[in-house]
Amino acid sequence: MQNPPVQSAGRRFLKRLGFALLQTAIFGTLIGGIVSVRMPRTQLETEGAPQTVLAHLVALIERPERITYDVRVRALGDSLQRQRQKEPRSQEQVVVVTVDDDTLGNARQGNHQGLASYPWAREAIGGLTRRLVAEGSSVVVLDMLFPELSPRVCSTQEPGGGEASDDGAFHRLLSETPGQSALAFSWSVPRAIPPAPQIWPYRVRVGAHAGQAEAHAQALKVLSTQRAAFLIPAEDQVEVWAGVEDEREGQIFSTRFGASQGVVRERRASDDTSRVTALDLFVSLARVEVEGLEPSRLLQVRTLQHPVVQLLGSQSLYGAATGFPDSDGVVRGMLHLISYTPREGEHHVLPSLPLAAAMKQAGTRKLRYADGRLHVGDAYSFPMDESGYSLTRWETAEPGRTAGASVFRTIRAWNVLLNHFDANEGRPPRADHDLDGRAVILTNTSTYATDYKPTPIGKATPGGAVLAQSLENILLSQGITRAPSRMDLGLTMAMAFLGAAVALTFSRSFRSGLGAVLYFSSMALLGVGYFLVARYLFVEEQLWIAVAGPLFAMVFTFLFTTIYSVRTEQEIRDFVNHALGRYVSPEVARLVTRDLTLLVRPERRPLTVFFSDIAGFTRLSEQMEPERLVQFLNEYLTEVTLAVRSSGGQVDKYIGDTVMAFWGAPVRSDRHAHLACEAALKMRALLQERQPVWEKKYGHRIQFRSGINSGDVVVGDMGTELKSNYTVFGDAVGVASWLEGCNKFYGTVVLAGERTAQLASDAYVFREVDRVLLRNKPAPIRLHELLGRHGEISPRMQEQLALYEQALTAYHQRRFDEALALFERCSSEYQDTVSAVYAGRCRRFLVTAPADDWDGVYEVGRSEP
């Protein structure tokens, strides 16, 4: 039957467990809900959108999550880079051609037109692009913006109204390799205020076409002359008109465009509805259709900066090169699709520069979105969310010194230009750059370059490297997939419960310094283990599971459960001390608080039991005044108790001057015999130290005696609801008490049983005192005297022990004459009281010899040896 205090404490523990589970569920659900919220990027960049409380909470979790993400990106990059180094060049998809400082230096020293100063003439860039295509590149991605006319050309027109020479030459060179170059444009979310359009008093018809494509091409030519263009439907054709100042200019302009007789009309207000701008034509050239994706979910941009109108046309592909950093400024991915929204309800989906190049590689402009992946025809597919955003799968852990970012093969633009010059002069190329079927990123990394972006692999990653890695991801159909929100929610709740479980499981170890270290280390190990699992999934499966949220949930529940456990255990401790402290020692009360199962049921276990008393205490108590007697007894018992507890023992009870103690319970210990011997030696030394003080103070000399015995006993809380005691009983207890009494007969201080001597002989010195057979005992008991610790026995004592062993051997071999002489010598020279006892026995045996079957055992009553 369990004690009522234990039952009450058990109910408190169950209450604590239930409350811990409740708060774990609350914390896990709350943080898991925040982690599972994925704020759409259409909201992140909305103009003037107020930040909600939810958005702030999501940002609070996302900031540390991004840090752990970056660590995993670098780990993945390091792994992929090692794999890539083993692959042959034939598997190479992307090559980076860079305009670096060496290229610019060589160009300045040469005499090639358009290269002496930077920026180069665009004609030179066109020639470089054509050369890359001639060397086998399937598509050349120009990581450069051309939003204005070439600075090498004045704003006035050439005679005859022809195209501006530099941009015109660039356009012409790109047209020689149609569809194999990709030009960049940029975007921004805020709407820019466009300049007021010029009003043209007249308009002239310059052509009529059956198809929109031809009409757009001629409208671009009109726009390249810095005039307004109009597309007006006429029956089954589309007429192209141009803005002019007067009728005469209209006739001249129409002749320039090949019209035999131009029709000139005055401007009407309705003409503005038919007017087309370079931006309109650019959007018609760049836009794509995506099956399965709602354009309204994409980031809505309202301002585009496209290539100058002289470079627009079907000869090139177009894609966005604008970086899309997170709130901390780090670019971790790319928006491969955006929605240009010039007017409310009107959406035009535009691709990124890498996506435009990938569509060229796939030979299709068909895009399809399904199951979290964007499919480029049937050739490629890669992870992308509904906002058009795709995380970059970096194949390196550091940006490196070139635009190749330690991943892609990098070629100096000057080496390609040398081949270009050789081809123009009819010479064979100097170098084979092995570009067959590969996509080329042409970028600038010279000191003039400003396009460096902070990424997970470095604070200054070249923009060309970002584009190259994004294109490589698409061409390999690879990427980082973020775990579904429900998975992150489940992981967060699981870690919350694990945090609480660890706190409850290891809360008992929190009470010591080392235990506290182990306690918090368990939480740290759990967190590290979770991160290693997340890292493994990221590196091996390219799966991004939440880390910060689950770890926060684990830490919160762990700390909250810890605080609650400490408070609850303090209440239980107070309760146990109050309820049990009246009849159980404080040590037992503390142990019960730590482990309530100690009082559930008694058990049998090996212990060491100790008894001690004061020799002649009855006579002493009769001679001293009661007040002084109690005062002395309190001092004596205090010193004895401190010696017991300092060695890990438990004081069982006081009976007058007698002290009963034991070792090995409630806390188990294999060294219970050693601890009891140590306590006995401490008491003996203490009495020797305090003897002068007590003799002077109380007028009596104090003699201490003790008995120690080891064996199996029953230990536990015994008694009734009114009174109980944590105590021991068994035969070993009675023998220990008897050994304490034997000291009086042998004149010894500390006697120990045979089992105690066997267990502690490795650290303490014992000598055999006697072999005694008690009444009602089937076997004799060997008595041993505890003399001291190994290494602390004096030479004189060693001599005494050697002489004593010789005498005892002779005694057991029935050589009583020899034994008597040795015992008498030991008694006289060393004042050994045990030898004096044996000397008396030898004298009696010399008179009356023992029986023939005598084995040295001395048979006595239980009360006297």
Side-chain angles (χ1 to χ4, degrees), residues 671 673-674 756-766 788-791:
R671 295 179 56 83
H674 296 74
T756 302
Q758 291 174 348
L759 293 173
S761 61
D762 60 331
Y764 300 92
V765 177
F766 298 86
R789 305 175 186 87
H790 278 304

Side-chain angles (χ1 to χ4, degrees), residues 182-308:
L183 300 181
F185 70 90
S186 63
W187 53 261
S188 61
V189 174
R191 187 187 304 276
I193 300 176
Q198 181 181 351
I199 303 300
W200 298 89
Y202 295 87
R203 56 183 173 88
V204 59
R205 187 174 62 186
V206 294
H209 305 277
Q212 286 284 348
E214 295 84 356
H216 284 175
Q218 191 169 38
L220 285 172
K221 292 182 179 180
V222 173
L223 292 170
S224 66
T225 64
Q226 309 299 311
R227 297 177 182 275
F230 304 87
L231 296 179
I232 301 177
E235 297 181 354
D236 57 348
Q237 290 184 323
V238 178
E239 296 181 344
V240 181
W241 294 70
V244 293
E245 293 287 350
D246 51 36
E247 293 184 3
R248 179 175 176 278
E249 186 181 31
Q251 293 296 334
I252 296 174
F253 193 82
S254 65
T255 303
R256 176 182 174 184
F257 275 80
S260 59
Q261 185 176 2
V263 178
V264 181
R265 293 180 180 172
E266 290 187 5
R267 173 186 175 278
R268 296 176 299 180
S270 60
D271 290 345
D272 290 341
T273 59
S274 303
R275 183 170 180 170
V276 294
T277 63
L279 178 59
D280 296 328
L281 296 177
F282 166 75
V283 171
S284 68
L285 292 170
R287 67 185 177 187
V288 294
E289 298 293 333
V290 185
E291 178 185 347
L293 185 66
E294 178 59 42
S296 61
R297 292 183 176 271
L298 302 175
L299 181 65
Q300 309 297 305
V301 302
R302 293 172 176 79
T303 302
L304 299 177
Q305 193 176 41
H306 56 79
V308 67

Side-chain angles (χ1 to χ4, degrees), residues 648-675:
Q650 174 65 35
V651 175
D652 187 305
K653 60 178 65 72
Y654 306 117
I655 307 174
D657 64 321
T658 301
V659 177
M660 175 183 173
F662 53 86
W663 283 260
V667 180
R668 293 182 180 271
S669 174
D670 294 334
R671 295 179 56 83
H672 49 84
H674 296 74
L675 298 173

Side-chain angles (χ1 to χ4, degrees), residues 8-17 568 571-572 575:
S8 179
R11 288 193 296 269
R12 288 170 179 259
F13 176 79
L14 293 177
K15 178 182 177 182
R16 180 183 70 174
L17 178 62
T568 304
E571 293 176 2
I572 295 176
F575 168 78

Side-chain angles (χ1 to χ4, degrees), residues 519-762:
Y519 180 70
F520 288 104
S521 296
S522 64
M523 180 193 69
L525 288 175
L526 178 62
V528 171
Y530 179 81
F531 176 78
L532 291 178
V533 171
R535 182 183 181 276
Y536 173 83
L537 292 175
F538 196 91
V539 173
E540 298 299 328
E541 304 295 334
Q542 281 83 71
L543 177 65
W544 174 13
I545 64 171
V547 168
L551 291 185
F552 280 157
M554 181 197 72
V555 172
F556 286 158
T557 56
F558 180 88
L559 294 179
F560 191 87
T561 304
T562 299
I563 294 172
Y564 186 73
S565 296
V566 170
R567 293 182 59 186
T568 304
E569 289 184 8
Q570 181 61 48
E571 293 176 2
I572 295 176
R573 187 179 299 113
D574 294 341
F575 168 78
V576 171
N577 288 334
H578 175 73
L580 304 182
R582 298 188 304 271
Y583 50 87
V584 177
S585 69
E587 289 81 358
V588 174
R590 284 194 290 269
L591 290 170
V592 170
T593 302
R594 296 179 183 181
D595 188 0
L596 297 176
T597 61
L598 290 173
L599 296 182
V600 172
R601 61 182 178 84
E603 61 176 328
R604 188 182 301 277
R605 69 166 77 167
L607 299 178
T608 295
V609 184
F610 169 93
F611 280 87
S612 73
D613 71 356
I614 300 173
F617 180 74
T618 302
R619 177 178 52 84
L620 182 68
S621 63
E622 293 174 352
Q623 296 175 358
M624 294 180 65
E625 294 293 329
E627 294 81 2
R628 292 179 60 79
L629 177 63
V630 171
Q631 182 182 4
F632 161 71
L633 197 58
N634 288 340
E635 291 183 17
Y636 167 77
L637 292 177
T638 298
E639 297 293 350
V640 172
T641 301
L642 290 175
V644 171
R645 292 182 179 176
S646 66
S647 58
Q650 174 65 35
V651 175
D652 187 305
K653 60 178 65 72
Y654 306 117
I655 307 174
D657 64 321
T658 301
V659 177
M660 175 183 173
F662 53 86
W663 283 260
V667 180
R668 293 182 180 271
S669 174
D670 294 334
R671 295 179 56 83
H672 49 84
H674 296 74
L675 298 173
C677 292
E678 184 65 25
L681 292 178
K682 286 183 178 180
M683 293 178 198
R684 188 177 69 180
L686 175 67
L687 261 66
Q688 291 175 353
E689 177 185 346
R690 299 279 291 174
Q691 190 69 253
V693 177
W694 284 342
E695 187 173 0
K696 181 179 179 179
K697 184 175 181 180
Y698 298 106
H700 294 276
R701 188 169 183 83
I702 307 302
Q703 295 181 356
F704 161 82
R705 300 180 306 202
S706 64
I708 307 173
N709 191 42
S710 301
D712 291 341
V713 300
V714 176
V715 59
D717 184 60
M718 305 172 199
T720 67
E721 293 185 4
L722 299 177
K723 183 176 179 59
S724 66
N725 190 29
Y726 188 77
T727 186
V728 297
F729 67 86
D731 185 67
V733 178
V735 172
S737 177
W738 176 76
L739 287 172
E740 185 273 322
C742 288
N743 284 289
K744 181 178 180 181
F745 178 79
Y746 293 104
T748 52
V749 177
V750 182
L751 285 178
E754 182 176 8
R755 183 57 179 160
T756 302
Q758 291 174 348
L759 293 173
S761 61
D762 60 331

Side-chain angles (χ1 to χ4, degrees), residues 444-561:
N444 180 13
T445 60
S446 69
T447 52
Y448 293 98
T450 59
D451 186 20
Y452 289 91
K453 298 178 173 65
T455 65
I457 65 169
K459 294 182 179 179
T461 306
V466 176
L467 296 176
Q469 188 63 81
S470 297
L471 176 55
E472 176 94 347
N473 289 168
I474 300 175
L475 298 182
L476 293 177
S477 295
Q478 298 286 351
I480 306 299
T481 301
R482 187 157 192 181
S485 57
R486 61 181 180 276
M487 178 183 291
D488 284 345
L489 173 61
L491 289 172
T492 302
M493 296 191 68
M495 290 301 291
F497 278 97
L498 278 176
V502 169
L504 289 173
T505 302
F506 296 99
S507 60
R508 295 177 184 172
S509 64
F510 188 61
R511 301 171 183 87
S512 64
L514 178 60
V517 172
L518 295 176
Y519 180 70
F520 288 104
S521 296
S522 64
M523 180 193 69
L525 288 175
L526 178 62
V528 171
Y530 179 81
F531 176 78
L532 291 178
V533 171
R535 182 183 181 276
Y536 173 83
L537 292 175
F538 196 91
V539 173
E540 298 299 328
E541 304 295 334
Q542 281 83 71
L543 177 65
W544 174 13
I545 64 171
V547 168
L551 291 185
F552 280 157
M554 181 197 72
V555 172
F556 286 158
T557 56
F558 180 88
L559 294 179
F560 191 87
T561 304

